[in-house]
């Protein structure tokens, strides 16, 4: 019998990955209410927002207000792609920064207007400074399995990018199936290699659920030794620069599966569904994940 962890950490990415893809502006007040309700449900690690160009992602233009308003409970991440983003994030009081880069050049060019090598060159001094100043650095690796423009990514290329970040002493790697195309076997194989190669870095899996394999991928990654998962309440969102990809795996479905297997998360499922209910009126697609639908039908 394979071994599973007793406890798993969920990193809620709904307020960032979930909302960044919403075309209609969601008010800052509604975002703060959503984040607060997620914290009340027991979420201790969360991506709150991103400090990116408002011309590229208008929905994240209120990053500063969000960070200033949210109590610093647990580990609250903000995404930042460059020096400008990092400076604004620190100004707003952020203590944990997530940088992001794609393994494939084509995705990276579309997402941050740089090749992968150019991005790494930009990020190196920024990461070294953040680490020197005692901040927590998370590196998000997009297109770790498949790229929407280039197809399959060689695991060696993903490993090489992760190695670079590990050498710069990042605290965490969040390795992403950006377009939700990886199979559970691919998930197991890559995460097994990553856990083995980088035992000193917190290793997190980030699955989008485009082809409904995310829950199976999580079960595979658990067996490979992963105990940290990014997920989005209500399964919201997606990356505006990854055509055809849908939202992240739904937090409520992941939490339900883990609890049913006796794995602790510290999250209250009913309260989590209450948080989703708060944001539901403001998102374009109806939320019909397994656990949220059951919760709503019970009301
Ligand atoms: P660029 O156009 O090459 O940048 O964009 P630039 O340096 O020429 O600047 C253009 C304008 O943006 C300037 O303003 C800058 O000041 C401003 P202007 O002079 O025209 O008025 N600017 C900024 N403003 C606010 N904050 C900043 C910032 N930087 C420049 N940080 C850039 C380059 C990186 C800025 C742009 O491409 C960008 O913002 N991209 C963000 C894309 C994004 O947010 N993608 C989604 C997140 S990643 C993701 O979802 C994947 C993940 O979930 C994992 C997975 O699933 O794969 C993490
Ligand atoms: Mg994502």
């Amino acid at each position: 019998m394979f071994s599973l962890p007793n406890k798993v950490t969920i990193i809620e990415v709904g307020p960032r990955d979930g909302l960044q893809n919403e075309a209609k502006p969601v008010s800052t007040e509604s975002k703060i209410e959503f984040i607060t309700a997620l914290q009340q449900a027991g979420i201790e690690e969360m991506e709150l927002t991103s400090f990116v160009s408002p011309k590229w992602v208008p929905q994240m233009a209120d990053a500063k207000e969000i960070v200033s308003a949210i109590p610093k409970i647990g580990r609250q991440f903000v995404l930042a792609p460059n020096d400008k983003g990092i400076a604004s994030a620190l100004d707003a009081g952020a203590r944990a920064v997530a940088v992001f880069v794609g393994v494939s050049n084509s995705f990276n060019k579309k997402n941050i207007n740089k090749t992968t090598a150019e991005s790494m060159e930009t990020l190196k001094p920024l990461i070294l400074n953040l680490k020197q100043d005692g901040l927590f650095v998370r590196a998000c690796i997009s297109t770790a399995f498949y790229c929407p423009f280039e197809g399959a990514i060689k695991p060696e290329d993903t490993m090489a990018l992760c190695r670079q970040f590990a050498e710069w002493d990042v605290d965490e790697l969040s390795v992403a199936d950006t377009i939700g195309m990886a199979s559970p076997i691919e998930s197991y194989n890559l995460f097994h290699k990553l856990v083995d190669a980088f035992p000193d870095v917190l290793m997190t899996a980030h699955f989008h659920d485009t082809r409904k394999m995310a829950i199976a991928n999580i079960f595979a990654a658990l067996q490979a030794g992963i105990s940290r998962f990014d997920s989005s309440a209500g399964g919201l969102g997606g990356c505006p620069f990854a055509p055809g990809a849908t939202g992240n795996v739904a937090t409520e479905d992941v939490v339900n599966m883990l609890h049913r297997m006796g794995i602790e998360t510290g999250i209250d499922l009913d309260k989590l569904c209450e948080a989703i209910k708060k944001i539901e009126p403001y998102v374009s697609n109806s939320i019909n994940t397994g656990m949220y639908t059951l919760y709503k039908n019970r009301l």
Side-chain angles (χ1 to χ4, degrees), residues 16-17 20 47 50-57 79 81-82 84-85 88 100 107 111-113 140-143 176-178 206 208 238-241 248:
R16 194 280 305 169
D17 203 336
Q20 71 184 10
E47 283 185 357
S50 45
F51 286 83
V52 295
S53 166
K55 289 187 184 140
W56 284 63
V57 189
L79 262 67
N82 54 16
K84 183 165 185 169
S88 309
F100 53 100
F107 173 76
N111 199 36
I112 39 182
N113 205 19
C140 302
I141 313 295
S142 288
T143 62
D177 180 18
T178 308
H206 177 114
H208 283 262
C239 176
F241 308 101
N248 292 87

mmCIF file of all heavy atoms in Angstrom, residues 16-17 20 47 50-57 79 81-82 84-85 88 100 107 111-113 140-143 176-178 206 208 238-241 248, ligand 1:
data_model
loop_
_atom_site.group_PDB
_atom_site.id
_atom_site.type_symbol
_atom_site.label_atom_id
_atom_site.label_comp_id
_atom_site.label_asym_id
_atom_site.label_seq_id
_atom_site.Cartn_x
_atom_site.Cartn_y
_atom_site.Cartn_z
ATOM 1 N N ARG A 16 -6.511 35.355 -6.657
ATOM 2 C CA ARG A 16 -5.555 35.778 -7.691
ATOM 3 C C ARG A 16 -5.813 34.999 -9.001
ATOM 4 O O ARG A 16 -6.370 35.539 -9.946
ATOM 5 C CB ARG A 16 -4.117 35.568 -7.167
ATOM 6 C CG ARG A 16 -3.041 36.261 -7.974
ATOM 7 C CD ARG A 16 -2.633 35.543 -9.243
ATOM 8 N NE ARG A 16 -2.198 34.156 -9.035
ATOM 9 C CZ ARG A 16 -2.006 33.308 -10.035
ATOM 10 N NH1 ARG A 16 -2.206 33.660 -11.287
ATOM 11 N NH2 ARG A 16 -1.637 32.049 -9.792
ATOM 12 N N ASP A 17 -5.470 33.719 -9.025
ATOM 13 C CA ASP A 17 -5.636 32.942 -10.265
ATOM 14 C C ASP A 17 -7.121 32.877 -10.621
ATOM 15 O O ASP A 17 -7.500 32.929 -11.786
ATOM 16 C CB ASP A 17 -5.075 31.521 -10.057
ATOM 17 C CG ASP A 17 -4.679 30.833 -11.354
ATOM 18 O OD1 ASP A 17 -5.222 31.205 -12.408
ATOM 19 O OD2 ASP A 17 -3.836 29.926 -11.311
ATOM 20 N N GLN A 20 -8.302 36.705 -11.771
ATOM 21 C CA GLN A 20 -7.551 37.449 -12.803
ATOM 22 C C GLN A 20 -8.165 37.287 -14.193
ATOM 23 O O GLN A 20 -7.987 38.126 -15.070
ATOM 24 C CB GLN A 20 -6.080 37.007 -12.830
ATOM 25 C CG GLN A 20 -5.856 35.610 -13.380
ATOM 26 C CD GLN A 20 -4.403 35.147 -13.324
ATOM 27 O OE1 GLN A 20 -3.561 35.777 -12.709
ATOM 28 N NE2 GLN A 20 -4.104 34.028 -13.969
ATOM 29 N N GLU A 47 -2.852 33.131 -2.198
ATOM 30 C CA GLU A 47 -2.385 34.161 -3.133
ATOM 31 C C GLU A 47 -3.468 35.236 -3.161
ATOM 32 O O GLU A 47 -4.587 34.988 -3.634
ATOM 33 C CB GLU A 47 -2.203 33.572 -4.537
ATOM 34 C CG GLU A 47 -0.935 32.756 -4.693
ATOM 35 C CD GLU A 47 -0.692 32.273 -6.110
ATOM 36 O OE1 GLU A 47 -1.531 32.516 -7.010
ATOM 37 O OE2 GLU A 47 0.347 31.626 -6.336
ATOM 38 N N SER A 50 -2.051 40.142 -7.552
ATOM 39 C CA SER A 50 -0.747 40.255 -8.208
ATOM 40 C C SER A 50 -0.439 41.697 -8.577
ATOM 41 O O SER A 50 -1.329 42.451 -8.980
ATOM 42 C CB SER A 50 -0.662 39.342 -9.435
ATOM 43 O OG SER A 50 -1.818 39.434 -10.198
ATOM 44 N N PHE A 51 0.838 42.031 -8.440
ATOM 45 C CA PHE A 51 1.326 43.364 -8.791
ATOM 46 C C PHE A 51 1.879 43.301 -10.211
ATOM 47 O O PHE A 51 3.087 43.196 -10.407
ATOM 48 C CB PHE A 51 2.378 43.827 -7.777
ATOM 49 C CG PHE A 51 1.783 44.223 -6.459
ATOM 50 C CD1 PHE A 51 1.486 43.253 -5.497
ATOM 51 C CD2 PHE A 51 1.482 45.552 -6.186
ATOM 52 C CE1 PHE A 51 0.928 43.612 -4.284
ATOM 53 C CE2 PHE A 51 0.914 45.923 -4.971
ATOM 54 C CZ PHE A 51 0.637 44.953 -4.018
ATOM 55 N N VAL A 52 0.957 43.303 -11.171
ATOM 56 C CA VAL A 52 1.337 43.213 -12.590
ATOM 57 C C VAL A 52 0.808 44.463 -13.294
ATOM 58 O O VAL A 52 0.111 45.283 -12.686
ATOM 59 C CB VAL A 52 0.774 41.917 -13.230
ATOM 60 C CG1 VAL A 52 1.413 40.689 -12.601
ATOM 61 C CG2 VAL A 52 -0.738 41.838 -13.104
ATOM 62 N N SER A 53 1.124 44.580 -14.572
ATOM 63 C CA SER A 53 0.677 45.768 -15.290
ATOM 64 C C SER A 53 -0.851 45.761 -15.414
ATOM 65 O O SER A 53 -1.433 44.799 -15.908
ATOM 66 C CB SER A 53 1.316 45.790 -16.675
ATOM 67 O OG SER A 53 0.638 46.733 -17.462
ATOM 68 N N PRO A 54 -1.516 46.844 -15.002
ATOM 69 C CA PRO A 54 -2.981 46.891 -15.119
ATOM 70 C C PRO A 54 -3.439 46.918 -16.572
ATOM 71 O O PRO A 54 -4.589 46.620 -16.864
ATOM 72 C CB PRO A 54 -3.361 48.186 -14.392
ATOM 73 C CG PRO A 54 -2.108 48.961 -14.233
ATOM 74 C CD PRO A 54 -0.942 48.027 -14.346
ATOM 75 N N LYS A 55 -2.489 47.240 -17.483
ATOM 76 C CA LYS A 55 -2.845 47.178 -18.906
ATOM 77 C C LYS A 55 -2.961 45.718 -19.340
ATOM 78 O O LYS A 55 -3.714 45.388 -20.235
ATOM 79 C CB LYS A 55 -1.770 47.865 -19.744
ATOM 80 C CG LYS A 55 -1.794 49.369 -19.567
ATOM 81 C CD LYS A 55 -0.857 50.059 -20.518
ATOM 82 C CE LYS A 55 -0.872 51.544 -20.223
ATOM 83 N NZ LYS A 55 0.438 52.175 -20.302
ATOM 84 N N TRP A 56 -2.187 44.850 -18.713
ATOM 85 C CA TRP A 56 -2.204 43.435 -19.079
ATOM 86 C C TRP A 56 -3.317 42.700 -18.333
ATOM 87 O O TRP A 56 -3.976 41.841 -18.909
ATOM 88 C CB TRP A 56 -0.837 42.795 -18.767
ATOM 89 C CG TRP A 56 0.235 43.153 -19.760
ATOM 90 C CD1 TRP A 56 0.726 44.398 -20.020
ATOM 91 C CD2 TRP A 56 0.932 42.252 -20.633
ATOM 92 N NE1 TRP A 56 1.700 44.317 -20.996
ATOM 93 C CE2 TRP A 56 1.856 43.023 -21.382
ATOM 94 C CE3 TRP A 56 0.897 40.876 -20.840
ATOM 95 C CZ2 TRP A 56 2.703 42.460 -22.336
ATOM 96 C CZ3 TRP A 56 1.748 40.305 -21.781
ATOM 97 C CH2 TRP A 56 2.634 41.098 -22.521
ATOM 98 N N VAL A 57 -3.460 42.978 -17.052
ATOM 99 C CA VAL A 57 -4.484 42.289 -16.243
ATOM 100 C C VAL A 57 -5.240 43.329 -15.406
ATOM 101 O O VAL A 57 -4.931 43.559 -14.233
ATOM 102 C CB VAL A 57 -3.848 41.206 -15.329
ATOM 103 C CG1 VAL A 57 -4.931 40.357 -14.669
ATOM 104 C CG2 VAL A 57 -2.896 40.298 -16.088
ATOM 105 N N LEU A 79 1.724 37.961 -6.270
ATOM 106 C CA LEU A 79 2.564 37.681 -7.430
ATOM 107 C C LEU A 79 3.218 38.976 -7.897
ATOM 108 O O LEU A 79 2.607 40.048 -7.819
ATOM 109 C CB LEU A 79 1.723 37.104 -8.587
ATOM 110 C CG LEU A 79 1.760 35.575 -8.715
ATOM 111 C CD1 LEU A 79 1.065 34.946 -7.519
ATOM 112 C CD2 LEU A 79 1.121 35.105 -10.008
ATOM 113 N N PRO A 81 6.050 40.207 -11.233
ATOM 114 C CA PRO A 81 6.884 39.722 -12.335
ATOM 115 C C PRO A 81 8.221 40.449 -12.490
ATOM 116 O O PRO A 81 9.094 39.983 -13.221
ATOM 117 C CB PRO A 81 6.016 40.032 -13.567
ATOM 118 C CG PRO A 81 5.241 41.261 -13.183
ATOM 119 C CD PRO A 81 5.109 41.249 -11.678
ATOM 120 N N ASN A 82 8.371 41.606 -11.830
ATOM 121 C CA ASN A 82 9.556 42.437 -12.100
ATOM 122 C C ASN A 82 9.840 43.372 -10.919
ATOM 123 O O ASN A 82 9.127 43.333 -9.905
ATOM 124 C CB ASN A 82 9.335 43.243 -13.397
ATOM 125 C CG ASN A 82 8.029 44.045 -13.355
ATOM 126 O OD1 ASN A 82 7.444 44.249 -12.297
ATOM 127 N ND2 ASN A 82 7.578 44.492 -14.508
ATOM 128 N N LYS A 84 9.410 46.549 -10.566
ATOM 129 C CA LYS A 84 8.315 47.476 -10.245
ATOM 130 C C LYS A 84 7.264 46.777 -9.367
ATOM 131 O O LYS A 84 6.803 47.333 -8.369
ATOM 132 C CB LYS A 84 7.697 47.986 -11.554
ATOM 133 C CG LYS A 84 6.607 48.987 -11.325
ATOM 134 C CD LYS A 84 6.240 49.760 -12.575
ATOM 135 C CE LYS A 84 5.214 50.822 -12.169
ATOM 136 N NZ LYS A 84 4.967 51.785 -13.174
ATOM 137 N N GLY A 85 6.892 45.570 -9.757
ATOM 138 C CA GLY A 85 5.887 44.805 -9.007
ATOM 139 C C GLY A 85 6.370 44.497 -7.598
ATOM 140 O O GLY A 85 5.613 44.621 -6.623
ATOM 141 N N SER A 88 6.338 47.665 -5.393
ATOM 142 C CA SER A 88 4.984 48.035 -4.960
ATOM 143 C C SER A 88 4.471 47.044 -3.911
ATOM 144 O O SER A 88 3.786 47.442 -2.962
ATOM 145 C CB SER A 88 4.001 48.035 -6.131
ATOM 146 O OG SER A 88 4.493 48.775 -7.187
ATOM 147 N N PHE A 100 6.953 34.342 -11.146
ATOM 148 C CA PHE A 100 6.419 33.322 -12.046
ATOM 149 C C PHE A 100 7.120 33.347 -13.390
ATOM 150 O O PHE A 100 7.488 34.412 -13.887
ATOM 151 C CB PHE A 100 4.895 33.452 -12.195
ATOM 152 C CG PHE A 100 4.396 34.822 -12.603
ATOM 153 C CD1 PHE A 100 4.043 35.092 -13.916
ATOM 154 C CD2 PHE A 100 4.263 35.837 -11.654
ATOM 155 C CE1 PHE A 100 3.558 36.346 -14.287
ATOM 156 C CE2 PHE A 100 3.794 37.100 -12.017
ATOM 157 C CZ PHE A 100 3.438 37.354 -13.325
ATOM 158 N N PHE A 107 4.927 30.539 -24.248
ATOM 159 C CA PHE A 107 3.986 30.949 -23.202
ATOM 160 C C PHE A 107 4.554 32.143 -22.434
ATOM 161 O O PHE A 107 3.855 33.118 -22.152
ATOM 162 C CB PHE A 107 3.682 29.798 -22.236
ATOM 163 C CG PHE A 107 2.844 30.247 -21.060
ATOM 164 C CD1 PHE A 107 1.488 30.482 -21.210
ATOM 165 C CD2 PHE A 107 3.423 30.488 -19.824
ATOM 166 C CE1 PHE A 107 0.715 30.951 -20.143
ATOM 167 C CE2 PHE A 107 2.667 30.953 -18.754
ATOM 168 C CZ PHE A 107 1.309 31.178 -18.914
ATOM 169 N N ASN A 111 2.886 35.758 -21.787
ATOM 170 C CA ASN A 111 2.481 36.066 -20.411
ATOM 171 C C ASN A 111 3.223 37.263 -19.833
ATOM 172 O O ASN A 111 2.629 38.102 -19.165
ATOM 173 C CB ASN A 111 2.713 34.830 -19.532
ATOM 174 C CG ASN A 111 1.932 34.874 -18.230
ATOM 175 O OD1 ASN A 111 0.808 35.361 -18.192
ATOM 176 N ND2 ASN A 111 2.527 34.365 -17.158
ATOM 177 N N ILE A 112 4.562 37.313 -20.091
ATOM 178 C CA ILE A 112 5.324 38.421 -19.479
ATOM 179 C C ILE A 112 6.266 39.103 -20.468
ATOM 180 O O ILE A 112 7.153 39.873 -20.053
ATOM 181 C CB ILE A 112 6.067 37.992 -18.186
ATOM 182 C CG1 ILE A 112 6.676 36.593 -18.282
ATOM 183 C CG2 ILE A 112 5.176 38.084 -16.987
ATOM 184 C CD1 ILE A 112 7.360 36.128 -16.998
ATOM 185 N N ASN A 113 6.042 38.849 -21.750
ATOM 186 C CA ASN A 113 6.761 39.591 -22.792
ATOM 187 C C ASN A 113 8.274 39.427 -22.735
ATOM 188 O O ASN A 113 9.022 40.338 -23.072
ATOM 189 C CB ASN A 113 6.375 41.082 -22.705
ATOM 190 C CG ASN A 113 6.562 41.785 -24.036
ATOM 191 O OD1 ASN A 113 6.636 41.136 -25.076
ATOM 192 N ND2 ASN A 113 6.648 43.105 -24.007
ATOM 193 N N CYS A 140 6.687 30.203 -9.099
ATOM 194 C CA CYS A 140 5.629 29.461 -9.793
ATOM 195 C C CYS A 140 6.128 29.094 -11.187
ATOM 196 O O CYS A 140 6.531 29.977 -11.954
ATOM 197 C CB CYS A 140 4.376 30.325 -9.923
ATOM 198 S SG CYS A 140 3.734 30.879 -8.327
ATOM 199 N N ILE A 141 6.090 27.812 -11.493
ATOM 200 C CA ILE A 141 6.636 27.321 -12.765
ATOM 201 C C ILE A 141 5.464 26.949 -13.668
ATOM 202 O O ILE A 141 4.810 25.907 -13.464
ATOM 203 C CB ILE A 141 7.511 26.056 -12.532
ATOM 204 C CG1 ILE A 141 8.488 26.248 -11.359
ATOM 205 C CG2 ILE A 141 8.222 25.649 -13.814
ATOM 206 C CD1 ILE A 141 9.534 27.297 -11.560
ATOM 207 N N SER A 142 5.208 27.781 -14.666
ATOM 208 C CA SER A 142 4.097 27.497 -15.588
ATOM 209 C C SER A 142 4.552 26.542 -16.695
ATOM 210 O O SER A 142 5.746 26.402 -16.950
ATOM 211 C CB SER A 142 3.630 28.791 -16.257
ATOM 212 O OG SER A 142 2.948 29.589 -15.332
ATOM 213 N N THR A 143 3.569 25.972 -17.361
ATOM 214 C CA THR A 143 3.785 25.031 -18.486
ATOM 215 C C THR A 143 4.834 23.966 -18.136
ATOM 216 O O THR A 143 5.710 23.652 -18.924
ATOM 217 C CB THR A 143 4.158 25.769 -19.806
ATOM 218 O OG1 THR A 143 5.386 26.489 -19.639
ATOM 219 C CG2 THR A 143 3.072 26.709 -20.256
ATOM 220 N N ALA A 176 3.292 23.928 -12.111
ATOM 221 C CA ALA A 176 1.930 24.033 -12.627
ATOM 222 C C ALA A 176 1.664 23.284 -13.929
ATOM 223 O O ALA A 176 2.443 23.337 -14.881
ATOM 224 C CB ALA A 176 1.587 25.511 -12.840
ATOM 225 N N ASP A 177 0.502 22.649 -13.936
ATOM 226 C CA ASP A 177 -0.074 22.131 -15.173
ATOM 227 C C ASP A 177 -1.041 23.219 -15.667
ATOM 228 O O ASP A 177 -2.249 23.156 -15.439
ATOM 229 C CB ASP A 177 -0.803 20.814 -14.893
ATOM 230 C CG ASP A 177 -1.424 20.220 -16.149
ATOM 231 O OD1 ASP A 177 -1.016 20.616 -17.260
ATOM 232 O OD2 ASP A 177 -2.324 19.363 -16.020
ATOM 233 N N THR A 178 -0.488 24.214 -16.324
ATOM 234 C CA THR A 178 -1.194 25.449 -16.676
ATOM 235 C C THR A 178 -2.462 25.212 -17.479
ATOM 236 O O THR A 178 -3.463 25.906 -17.294
ATOM 237 C CB THR A 178 -0.229 26.348 -17.491
ATOM 238 O OG1 THR A 178 0.982 26.474 -16.746
ATOM 239 C CG2 THR A 178 -0.800 27.709 -17.803
ATOM 240 N N HIS A 206 0.251 22.531 -8.668
ATOM 241 C CA HIS A 206 -0.771 23.513 -9.087
ATOM 242 C C HIS A 206 -1.446 22.952 -10.341
ATOM 243 O O HIS A 206 -0.858 22.959 -11.422
ATOM 244 C CB HIS A 206 -0.036 24.828 -9.363
ATOM 245 C CG HIS A 206 -0.857 25.965 -9.876
ATOM 246 N ND1 HIS A 206 -1.073 27.123 -9.151
ATOM 247 C CD2 HIS A 206 -1.482 26.186 -11.067
ATOM 248 C CE1 HIS A 206 -1.783 27.977 -9.859
ATOM 249 N NE2 HIS A 206 -2.047 27.435 -11.035
ATOM 250 N N HIS A 208 -4.601 22.908 -13.065
ATOM 251 C CA HIS A 208 -5.839 23.424 -13.667
ATOM 252 C C HIS A 208 -6.655 22.205 -14.097
ATOM 253 O O HIS A 208 -6.110 21.119 -14.319
ATOM 254 C CB HIS A 208 -5.512 24.371 -14.826
ATOM 255 C CG HIS A 208 -5.063 25.717 -14.334
ATOM 256 N ND1 HIS A 208 -5.907 26.790 -14.242
ATOM 257 C CD2 HIS A 208 -3.866 26.136 -13.850
ATOM 258 C CE1 HIS A 208 -5.260 27.826 -13.738
ATOM 259 N NE2 HIS A 208 -4.011 27.456 -13.490
ATOM 260 N N GLY A 238 -8.335 30.956 -14.269
ATOM 261 C CA GLY A 238 -7.472 30.538 -15.365
ATOM 262 C C GLY A 238 -6.538 31.670 -15.718
ATOM 263 O O GLY A 238 -6.660 32.763 -15.201
ATOM 264 N N CYS A 239 -5.586 31.388 -16.600
ATOM 265 C CA CYS A 239 -4.630 32.420 -16.986
ATOM 266 C C CYS A 239 -5.085 33.055 -18.294
ATOM 267 O O CYS A 239 -5.323 32.348 -19.270
ATOM 268 C CB CYS A 239 -3.237 31.805 -17.142
ATOM 269 S SG CYS A 239 -2.036 32.998 -17.730
ATOM 270 N N PRO A 240 -5.222 34.383 -18.341
ATOM 271 C CA PRO A 240 -5.695 35.035 -19.570
ATOM 272 C C PRO A 240 -4.773 34.785 -20.767
ATOM 273 O O PRO A 240 -5.182 34.996 -21.899
ATOM 274 C CB PRO A 240 -5.702 36.531 -19.210
ATOM 275 C CG PRO A 240 -5.438 36.650 -17.758
ATOM 276 C CD PRO A 240 -4.923 35.346 -17.257
ATOM 277 N N PHE A 241 -3.530 34.343 -20.511
ATOM 278 C CA PHE A 241 -2.576 34.151 -21.609
ATOM 279 C C PHE A 241 -2.349 32.671 -21.929
ATOM 280 O O PHE A 241 -1.401 32.325 -22.622
ATOM 281 C CB PHE A 241 -1.264 34.877 -21.271
ATOM 282 C CG PHE A 241 -1.541 36.311 -20.883
ATOM 283 C CD1 PHE A 241 -1.558 36.705 -19.557
ATOM 284 C CD2 PHE A 241 -1.853 37.252 -21.854
ATOM 285 C CE1 PHE A 241 -1.864 38.015 -19.196
ATOM 286 C CE2 PHE A 241 -2.166 38.563 -21.514
ATOM 287 C CZ PHE A 241 -2.167 38.948 -20.183
ATOM 288 N N ASN A 248 -8.608 26.526 -11.826
ATOM 289 C CA ASN A 248 -7.863 25.564 -11.009
ATOM 290 C C ASN A 248 -8.813 24.500 -10.486
ATOM 291 O O ASN A 248 -10.025 24.696 -10.450
ATOM 292 C CB ASN A 248 -7.264 26.263 -9.784
ATOM 293 C CG ASN A 248 -6.174 27.226 -10.161
ATOM 294 O OD1 ASN A 248 -6.441 28.359 -10.464
ATOM 295 N ND2 ASN A 248 -4.947 26.755 -10.155
HETATM 296 P P1 LIG B 1 5.697 45.015 -20.827
HETATM 297 O O1 LIG B 1 4.668 45.726 -21.608
HETATM 298 O O2 LIG B 1 6.767 44.296 -21.558
HETATM 299 O O3 LIG B 1 6.384 45.903 -19.705
HETATM 300 O O4 LIG B 1 4.946 43.982 -19.861
HETATM 301 P P2 LIG B 1 7.005 47.321 -19.668
HETATM 302 O O5 LIG B 1 8.152 47.248 -18.704
HETATM 303 O O6 LIG B 1 7.268 47.819 -21.063
HETATM 304 O O7 LIG B 1 5.851 48.206 -19.003
HETATM 305 C C1 LIG B 1 4.647 48.490 -19.666
HETATM 306 C C2 LIG B 1 3.774 49.331 -18.740
HETATM 307 O O8 LIG B 1 3.379 48.564 -17.599
HETATM 308 C C3 LIG B 1 4.493 50.553 -18.187
HETATM 309 O O9 LIG B 1 3.492 51.530 -17.954
HETATM 310 C C4 LIG B 1 5.026 50.063 -16.865
HETATM 311 O O10 LIG B 1 5.237 51.097 -15.942
HETATM 312 C C5 LIG B 1 3.889 49.167 -16.408
HETATM 313 P P3 LIG B 1 3.287 52.770 -18.958
HETATM 314 O O11 LIG B 1 4.606 53.466 -18.979
HETATM 315 O O12 LIG B 1 2.936 52.177 -20.299
HETATM 316 O O13 LIG B 1 2.164 53.534 -18.328
HETATM 317 N N1 LIG B 1 4.355 48.100 -15.510
HETATM 318 C C6 LIG B 1 3.742 47.792 -14.359
HETATM 319 N N2 LIG B 1 2.683 48.302 -13.719
HETATM 320 C C7 LIG B 1 2.327 47.749 -12.544
HETATM 321 N N3 LIG B 1 2.998 46.705 -11.995
HETATM 322 C C8 LIG B 1 4.060 46.164 -12.607
HETATM 323 C C9 LIG B 1 4.468 46.712 -13.836
HETATM 324 N N4 LIG B 1 5.463 46.403 -14.683
HETATM 325 C C10 LIG B 1 5.382 47.274 -15.697
HETATM 326 N N5 LIG B 1 4.671 45.127 -12.050
HETATM 327 C C11 LIG B 1 4.804 42.825 -17.764
HETATM 328 C C12 LIG B 1 5.675 43.175 -18.954
HETATM 329 C C13 LIG B 1 5.516 41.738 -16.989
HETATM 330 C C14 LIG B 1 4.639 44.071 -16.912
HETATM 331 C C15 LIG B 1 3.417 42.339 -18.277
HETATM 332 O O14 LIG B 1 3.639 41.357 -19.242
HETATM 333 C C16 LIG B 1 2.536 41.772 -17.196
HETATM 334 O O15 LIG B 1 2.104 42.491 -16.307
HETATM 335 N N6 LIG B 1 2.241 40.453 -17.257
HETATM 336 C C17 LIG B 1 1.462 39.818 -16.216
HETATM 337 C C18 LIG B 1 0.783 38.629 -16.763
HETATM 338 C C19 LIG B 1 -0.012 37.918 -15.677
HETATM 339 O O16 LIG B 1 -0.347 38.484 -14.650
HETATM 340 N N7 LIG B 1 -0.324 36.630 -15.927
HETATM 341 C C20 LIG B 1 -1.067 35.844 -15.014
HETATM 342 C C21 LIG B 1 -0.261 35.377 -13.847
HETATM 343 S S1 LIG B 1 0.736 33.956 -14.197
HETATM 344 C C22 LIG B 1 -0.360 32.630 -14.105
HETATM 345 O O17 LIG B 1 -1.555 32.806 -14.022
HETATM 346 C C23 LIG B 1 0.207 31.249 -14.080
HETATM 347 C C24 LIG B 1 0.180 30.592 -12.686
HETATM 348 O O18 LIG B 1 -1.132 30.524 -12.167
HETATM 349 C C25 LIG B 1 0.745 29.173 -12.794
HETATM 350 C C26 LIG B 1 0.075 28.360 -13.917
HETATM 351 O O19 LIG B 1 -1.099 28.011 -13.796
HETATM 352 O O20 LIG B 1 0.782 28.144 -14.911
HETATM 353 C C27 LIG B 1 1.053 31.369 -11.701
#
